[in-house]
Amino acid sequence: MSVNATTPLVESLRQNAKDLLDIQVLQTTVNEIISQASWLQIIMAVIVVVLSYDQIKYQLNKGVIAGPRFKVWPIIGPFLESLDPKFEEYKAKWDSGELSCVSIFHKFVVIASSRDLARKILSSPKYVKPCVVDVAIKILRPTNWVFLDGKAHTDYRRSLNGLFSQKALEIYIPVQEKYMDIYLNKYVKYDGPRQFFPEFRELLCALSLRTFCGDYITEEQIALIADNYYRITAALELVNFPIIIPYTKTWYGKKIADETMQIFADCAAMAKVHIYEKNGSPTCVMDEWIHLMKNAREKHLEDAESKLLIREFTDKEISETIFTFLFASQDASSSLACWLFQIVADRPDVVEKIRQEQLQVRNNDPNQRLSLELINQMTYTNNVVKESLRYRPPVLMVPYVVKEKFPVTETYTAPKGSMIVPTLYPALHDPEVYDDPDTFIPERWENATGDMYKRNWLVFGTGPHVCLGKNYVLMLFTGMLGKFVMNADLIHHKTDLSEQIKVFATIFPKDDLWLEWKARDPLAASA
């Protein structure tokens, strides 16, 4: 009885001893292999393991969606191709399926090309948050409001909404028209054609900085930022090396971004003196923001029980926010300017309709100054701007990072930590919503359907991160297009690359747009 009772215990001890012996044998064998192996063999073994892991991880992340069957270039993926992005390659990716993928370095990227999936991603703050591009958080700073999430983002955004109200937009028009006049006068004095990609970047930078910072920023600082900002754009490519290496594009981008934000912080301090201490009236975005803070604080002091709708923002917070406004306005607006003026210059019938409308709404007084009421009457001119945004949308895609496993479709879940990129171009060229989508037709907006204006109109995004400045953009470009076309003849010098698309953060004509401007009498009949 006693022997039988202890048999299981004895057998267990014997098995444990055997297992221990097997482990010791295995360890001895491994140690012998390692000791006998050369460093080259060890390195090769590690490489094989790493490459195998990289391929297996890619397959597991890819699942059922479209994409290369294997990573042709292990680890780096299509990194080299991304250094010179091509629109045709992006379009081929969108056409390959409503969900497709690539994997570059440590980042797995899911690309959503259908309208409904793009809208779903843009409206899913539970699962995703904007990341602009992978290195952007280092250049724009982690504390920047665009990287906030949930309630923190909602509260911050509520404080910014007032900066783009109808009342606020009216405040910005005089300074904008002043600089439109300065640059138009400059353009018509140029001798012959020149590339207008850099010219429009400078124009839009000056317009933006004066709108945002008013007279607090100097001409020298505007020139410095306009010259340097190209490097910030270059640093914010869709795909980047994962770390910032000294004297690379990303290193220069961060350095210049920090210097630019310091200029904005100094401007914010001066604006606070103007509004708080001198009780001045708002003339720019910074003034208006601080004026809203002041009003909110005074109302809260009068009624301590009331909710403080707009808190006090530091100079640093203001500078970071204004920098994101510049980031959004500079590249997208420069893209819009290039395509808009190229498209219009190539279409005499569109030019004639714009000129007729401009004189009509101004009662044949071409010197009438711009106002929000006047711009709102420019229906056809506004339709030309909208159609340009649809036909050549400046922003092709908006990168987001997946916060937690995201069931994008019934058959595919995007892994946590991956990047997911809703694309905007396919929705804006959907033949089921826009007849003849690859043709520029401003008249289509005269009787626009709901899908044209809503579900497919993804130029400015949708959901909690929809662009704050959408009304600002339409106001600015409607006023500027009408003014420039009324007062100048635009001559586009076409090249073989004029209609080809260059991707540089946003999109531009591949030849950088050769334009010539000639002053004209606004009351003269068109040739």
Side-chain angles (χ1 to χ4, degrees), residues 268-282:
M270 289 186 276
K272 285 182 177 178
V273 171
H274 173 68
I275 298 296
Y276 284 143
E277 298 180 17
K278 298 182 180 179
N279 201 31
S281 299

Side-chain angles (χ1 to χ4, degrees), residues 443-498:
E443 290 77 10
R444 75 170 78 245
W445 295 100
E446 292 172 3
N447 297 294
T449 64
D451 278 355
M452 287 172 62
Y453 262 123
K454 295 179 181 178
R455 294 175 66 190
N456 282 66
W457 184 244
L458 294 178
V459 172
F460 300 100
T462 190
H465 291 275
V466 65
C467 178
L468 280 167
K470 57 183 180 179
N471 292 330
Y472 167 85
V473 170
L474 290 168
M475 176 199 77
L476 172 65
F477 276 90
T478 299
M480 183 164 64
L481 176 63
K483 189 177 187 69
F484 282 9
V485 169
M486 182 176 64
N487 290 285
D489 286 318
L490 280 68
I491 304 162
H492 178 213
H493 293 256
K494 297 180 183 179
T495 74
D496 292 339
L497 300 177
S498 294

Side-chain angles (χ1 to χ4, degrees), residues 167-411:
K167 172 179 169 292
L169 293 179
E170 188 78 60
I171 293 171
Y172 312 143
I173 291 176
V175 71
Q176 291 172 346
E177 186 167 27
K178 175 184 174 182
Y179 277 83
M180 289 178 198
D181 290 338
I182 290 171
Y183 277 85
L184 178 58
N185 187 53
K186 175 182 173 183
Y187 296 161
V188 297
K189 290 180 178 177
Y190 284 151
D191 185 17
R194 64 175 61 200
Q195 288 179 311
F196 259 76
F197 167 71
E199 296 289 338
F200 281 145
R201 286 183 68 84
E202 181 185 331
L203 165 66
L204 270 300
C205 193
L207 282 171
S208 296
L209 290 174
R210 283 299 178 197
T211 302
F212 300 153
C213 304
D215 292 331
Y216 306 123
I217 192 165
T218 67
E219 290 293 333
E220 293 75 16
Q221 289 171 327
I222 290 176
L224 177 66
I225 293 171
D227 288 342
N228 284 342
Y229 205 87
Y230 188 91
R231 281 186 156 179
I232 298 173
T233 302
L236 292 169
E237 296 169 313
L238 179 61
V239 178
N240 266 292
F241 193 72
I243 60 174
I244 294 179
I245 299 173
Y247 305 106
T248 60
K249 285 190 289 188
T250 50
W251 183 84
Y252 281 112
K254 185 175 188 320
K255 181 176 181 292
I256 293 166
D258 287 341
E259 293 169 354
T260 303
M261 281 187 257
Q262 184 55 55
I263 291 173
F264 292 160
D266 294 339
C267 291
M270 289 186 276
K272 285 182 177 178
V273 171
H274 173 68
I275 298 296
Y276 284 143
E277 298 180 17
K278 298 182 180 179
N279 201 31
S281 299
T283 60
C284 64
V285 169
M286 280 188 180
D287 281 346
E288 181 65 12
W289 192 358
I290 295 162
H291 184 69
L292 292 172
M293 291 182 213
K294 179 184 177 185
N295 286 346
R297 186 171 65 179
E298 289 173 351
K299 289 178 182 177
H300 184 66
L301 288 174
E302 292 172 6
D303 181 8
E305 303 271 323
S306 65
K307 185 178 180 181
L308 183 62
L309 295 178
I310 302 177
R311 66 171 173 83
E312 190 72 19
F313 288 84
T314 66
D315 296 345
K316 177 176 177 290
E317 288 176 315
I318 294 173
S319 73
E320 291 175 351
T321 302
I322 294 298
F323 187 85
T324 62
F325 289 172
L326 180 63
F327 171 62
S329 64
Q330 174 65 9
D331 295 311
S333 294
S334 298
S335 168
L336 172 56
C338 285
W339 288 113
L340 178 63
F341 285 99
Q342 171 171 305
I343 289 165
V344 169
D346 288 343
R347 292 164 173 79
D349 59 321
V350 173
V351 169
E352 182 58 29
K353 288 180 180 179
I354 292 173
R355 287 173 177 167
Q356 288 177 2
E357 180 176 77
Q358 290 303 307
L359 291 178
Q360 180 184 346
V361 300
R362 297 166 187 269
N363 296 316
N364 278 343
D365 178 9
N367 295 316
Q368 185 175 346
R369 306 307 287 171
L370 288 173
S371 67
L372 193 57
E373 181 183 3
L374 186 67
I375 292 172
N376 286 339
Q377 295 176 50
M378 301 176 187
T379 306
Y380 180 78
T381 310
N382 183 262
N383 287 344
V384 172
V385 175
K386 279 191 296 209
E387 179 66 355
S388 181
L389 285 166
R390 184 205 67 80
Y391 180 67
R392 289 289 184 265
V395 179
L396 299 177
M397 56 194 90
V398 186
Y400 279 70
V401 65
V402 179
K403 299 188 295 184
E404 58 179 89
K405 288 183 177 180
F406 181 15
V408 187
T409 67
E410 292 181 356
T411 58

Side-chain angles (χ1 to χ4, degrees), residues 22 211 435:
D22 290 343
T211 302
D435 291 336

